Amino acid sequence: MHDGDATLTADLKRQVGDAELVARFRRDADAFTAVYDRYFLDVYRYAVGRLDVQTGEDIAAETFCVAFAQRDRFDPERGGLRPWLFGIATKLMARHRRKEARHYKALMRSGASAGFVEGHEGLVVTSVAAQRLQPQLLKALTKLNPGERDVVLLIAVGQLSHEEVAQTLGIADGTVRSRLSRARKKFQQLIDREEFNG
């Protein structure tokens, strides 16, 4: 490795904006590793939080393969790298909708932490699950349509802003708010019913 390469690597690890990262990886494909370094854990947590660990790992890895292959298509005018990556991951997950619903139903039956692996990955997944996977919420997630579920989980698990969710899904900010509002009503109705039925 030349001194210039080491300087570039150290420089890329510093906080630079998405626009600068894009400019760098367009000049040098190797610079795309900075995108991976910055966003992989976020995409991984989101994918594993929606699916099982193995499928989530596969989705996260595939997201960055697709992003690398399509890096020349990225348009900073349409949003940041993070929403772009979450959009790719969400589209890849669409192939797993039935598996996602079965995953939530299995978690409801067995408890949120059952089925998670031990070790670092298990800690990450358990941490995410502890924040959001309660039996009523799991049941409610299975009742949402795919668009509502994507919005809720991009916000809750992906921790994206409404604006980032709109960019991720290619929809208007008002549509994000509308889907989130409908999902909240469904959650509230289900939780109220559960409390009433005890």
Side-chain angles (χ1 to χ4, degrees):
M1 181 192 275
H2 301 323
D3 287 291
D5 292 340
T7 303
L8 177 63
T9 302
D11 188 43
L12 287 174
K13 289 184 178 181
R14 279 191 228 125
Q15 288 295 80
V16 296
D18 281 357
E20 181 63 23
L21 284 179
V22 171
R24 289 179 182 187
F25 72 64
R26 286 205 171 132
R27 287 190 308 264
D28 177 11
D30 290 340
F32 194 81
T33 58
V35 175
Y36 177 90
D37 291 344
R38 182 176 291 180
Y39 294 113
F40 180 80
L41 190 55
D42 291 342
V43 173
Y44 171 81
R45 285 181 179 147
Y46 171 62
V48 169
R50 287 193 67 167
L51 302 164
D52 59 86
V53 173
Q54 183 60 52
T55 307
E57 286 177 351
D58 293 346
I59 293 289
E62 190 176 353
T63 296
F64 284 88
C65 289
V66 169
F68 182 78
Q70 297 179 359
R71 66 191 181 281
D72 291 333
R73 291 191 204 165
F74 174 75
D75 181 4
E77 297 292 319
R78 296 181 62 198
L81 285 168
R82 189 169 186 248
W84 179 60
L85 293 166
F86 274 82
I88 293 169
T90 301
K91 286 176 187 162
L92 292 171
M93 283 182 221
R95 293 186 249 161
H96 299 278
R97 294 261 188 235
R98 282 181 276 179
K99 186 172 188 172
E100 180 183 36
R102 284 193 308 268
H103 176 66
Y104 293 142
K105 288 176 184 175
L107 287 174
M108 283 188 313
R109 288 190 302 272
S110 64
S113 63
F116 291 139
V117 297
E118 295 297 322
H120 176 70
E121 293 168 337
L123 292 174
V124 170
V125 175
T126 301
S127 172
V128 171
Q131 295 174 16
R132 66 163 179 73
L133 297 180
Q134 298 172 3
Q136 297 93 340
L137 294 178
L138 287 168
K139 190 172 185 178
L141 283 170
T142 65
K143 304 293 184 194
L144 299 178
N145 69 43
E148 293 165 346
R149 190 179 307 134
D150 286 343
V151 167
V152 167
L153 294 174
L154 282 165
I155 291 170
V157 179
Q159 299 182 354
L160 272 66
S161 68
H162 290 183
E163 181 181 87
E164 288 175 317
V165 172
Q167 292 170 8
T168 296
L169 299 177
I171 58 178
D173 189 53
T175 304
V176 171
R177 294 180 191 285
S178 175
R179 289 180 184 178
L180 187 58
S181 177
R182 285 194 309 268
R184 284 180 179 152
K185 286 178 186 170
K186 288 178 182 179
F187 281 153
Q188 191 60 51
Q189 289 169 351
L190 186 64
I191 290 169
D192 288 347
R193 256 196 321 266
E194 293 286 326
E195 288 175 0
F196 180 75
N197 294 327

